[in-house]
Amino acid sequence: MSPLDVFSLGPDGWGGAMLGACLMTLAVTLTAVMIGAAIGTSMAAARLSGSRVLRMISGTYNAVLRGVPDLLVIYLVYFGGSTLITYAANALGMSGFAGMPSFLAGALAVGLISGAYQAEVYRAAYLAVPRGQVEAAKAVGMSGSLRLQRIIVPLTLRHALPGLGNVWQIALKESALVSVTGLIELLRIAQIGAGSTHEPFLFYMSAGALYLVLTTLSTMVFRRLETRADLSVRRA
């Protein structure tokens, strides 16, 4: 088998399966980053709050999720979620094992991990907002919601963009670990192809090339967003 056969869209090629797996990888990553954004903003707000309890909760969350191996988090979410679903199903009179959907387990696990990293990104970005601009807005009578809308949020997001680009890349690569749940994403389809054709080097090299394409395109998108954000800040 040649490399062209791996990417061929014909009946004997793996191109369609590889393309579908790439889309699944992007779907898992996007969902995970969105989950992580919700968690990260909450944890960042808790870390910046005046409550000692909230700061302790946020610090513990970050320490645990960043200290535990990512693969272990995926296993805990998948098997722990499956156990809870099974208990709930049995309580409703159903019998047997009810597994947690692979996509949900993978996106949730990677989202939990991403949330710990995003929390630090948002916290650092908020602290980088010039206090003088906020104080000037207060001096001219701008309300708290208006300051948040016109100054704090735009500048925080601008400072957060480089860090969020790194978080996206990490989540994109971590999505490969979701293959342990059986989800047919890029690494999983490479494993299937390698087993079916007995060409492991060819399929894993092809998967590596596709991951490189995805990360390169992602870098270009985030650089474009940073450029647009810089222009918006200058115009403001």
Side-chain angles (χ1 to χ4, degrees), residues 24-134:
M24 180 60 72
T25 293
L26 289 174
V28 170
T29 304
L30 180 59
T31 305
V33 170
M34 291 174 64
I35 293 172
I39 297 173
T41 51
S42 301
M43 290 297 106
R47 191 74 177 271
L48 293 167
S49 71
S51 171
R52 183 178 179 181
V53 174
L54 291 178
R55 292 199 305 271
M56 185 179 299
I57 292 173
S58 176
T60 302
Y61 175 85
N62 288 352
V64 170
L65 269 298
R66 295 173 69 178
V68 174
D70 298 342
L71 185 59
L72 179 57
V73 174
I74 294 174
Y75 277 132
L76 290 174
V77 171
Y78 179 64
F79 290 110
S82 297
T83 300
L84 291 176
I85 293 174
T86 300
Y87 282 153
N90 292 339
L92 295 174
M94 304 176 187
S95 59
F97 177 79
M100 189 176 190
S102 297
F103 182 90
L104 177 60
L108 181 58
V110 177
L112 289 171
I113 299 166
S114 178
Y117 290 99
Q118 289 192 56
E120 291 303 308
V121 170
Y122 292 132
R123 184 182 71 85
Y126 175 80
L127 293 176
V129 174
R131 297 297 101 184
Q133 294 191 26
V134 179

Side-chain angles (χ1 to χ4, degrees), residues 189-209:
I189 200 65
Q191 292 172 335
I192 294 172
S196 299
T197 63
H198 304 290
E199 295 279 359
F201 181 77
L202 179 59
F203 272 90
Y204 290 132
M205 282 294 293
S206 300

Side-chain angles (χ1 to χ4, degrees), residues 20-33 70-71 74 102-103 105-111 113-114 166-189 191 207 210-212 214-215 218:
C22 281
L23 295 177
M24 180 60 72
T25 293
L26 289 174
V28 170
T29 304
L30 180 59
T31 305
V33 170
D70 298 342
L71 185 59
I74 294 174
S102 297
F103 182 90
L108 181 58
V110 177
I113 299 166
S114 178
N166 291 331
V167 169
W168 169 268
Q169 301 285 37
I170 292 171
L172 184 61
K173 290 186 289 185
E174 284 176 344
S175 67
L177 300 176
V178 180
S179 62
V180 299
T181 67
L183 185 69
I184 307 298
E185 44 70 63
L186 187 52
L187 181 59
R188 181 60 179 160
I189 200 65
Q191 292 172 335
L210 289 174
Y211 275 115
L212 185 60
L214 293 177
T215 54
S218 299

